[in-house]
DNA sequence: CACAAACATTGATGTGTGTCAATATATTCT
DNA sequence: AGAATATATTGACACACATCAATGTTTGTG
């Protein structure tokens, strides 16, 4: 801490408390992986919004278990939803979750 | 990959290539830490936009070397800029970098 | 000059995680 | 029922990283 005599700068009053910071960090950790970002990108760019794992392993260059792992992480964080139909599991984006992260990253102007 | 007979879903054409994914992931990794998020929050909420390390260690509950480490990571990623004046080093936010991350996270609608 | 304050650097340590091989489960087809 | 395909799970491993104690460096003060 600064010396009591000369002030260094204005005292800090952070708008983000510990819990909020951990929660947001957890969501960002999920997104902070190249493979998962590309999965999100795939789901966002595909026409009908649905993609199964079998079509992602090759473009990602990852093994099937690894892709399944990333899918699970994304789903548990609320970024995608999954539905099993017949032999395949279809995954689609949950735009609201991505938007909530975007909103949390907005710099709020001091009045 | 899917069998050649029955199509699983539309072929994927991800809009995010490997390099872009790694670059964005690297930026997100920097933000995906509670301490660094709180530092960013502090810099965003303080009146004159400047905070020195000595005033962040106590509210963060972290040691001075740890705070210095996080500051360095944030600076090297372009999220903050630092200026040494007399005995103290003042840090301020670079809003453009945060905005670029926000923009990259935007879900672009398929036409 | 000697001491203290602010910050940076180094080294060590524990924890988390991305990846794959192997295996398990579920579904479809013959 | 048996085989093949799609996906999930488990276990193991290597690597990254957040943290702190100790120390170094710079700047101001007695």
């Amino acid at each position: 801490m600064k010396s009591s005599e000369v002030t260094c700068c204005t005292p800090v009053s952070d708008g983000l408390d510990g819990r909020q910071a951990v929660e947001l960090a957890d969501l960002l950790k999920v997104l902070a992986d190249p493979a998962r970002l590309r999965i999100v990108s795939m789901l966002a760019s595909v026409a009908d919004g649905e993609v199964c794992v079998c079509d992602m392993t090759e473009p990602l260059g990852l093994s099937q278990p690894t892709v399944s792992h990333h899918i699970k992480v994304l789903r548990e964080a609320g970024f995608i939803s999954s539905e099993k139909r017949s032999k395949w599991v279809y995954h689609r984006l949950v735009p609201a979750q991505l938007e909530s992260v975007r909103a949390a990253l907005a710099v709020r102007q001091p009045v």
Side-chain angles (χ1 to χ4, degrees), chain A residues 42-81:
Chain A
M42 283 178 181
L43 296 180
S45 62
V46 80
D48 58 359
E50 289 186 331
V51 179
C52 64
V53 173
C54 61
D55 277 323
M56 290 193 277
T57 56
E58 189 216 315
L60 289 176
L62 294 173
S63 70
Q64 173 266 318
T66 299
V67 175
S68 278
H69 165 69
H70 288 308
I71 290 284
K72 185 179 182 179
V73 172
L74 284 168
R75 183 174 50 242
E76 287 178 347
F79 289 110
I80 66 174
S81 63

Side-chain angles (χ1 to χ4, degrees), chain A residues 2 8 16 20 28 31 39 61 70 78 86 91 98 111:
Chain A
K2 61 179 178 295
C8 156
L16 206 59
Q20 292 172 323
L28 288 170
L31 295 179
I39 291 175
H70 288 308
S86 78
H91 308 280
L98 214 51
V111 186

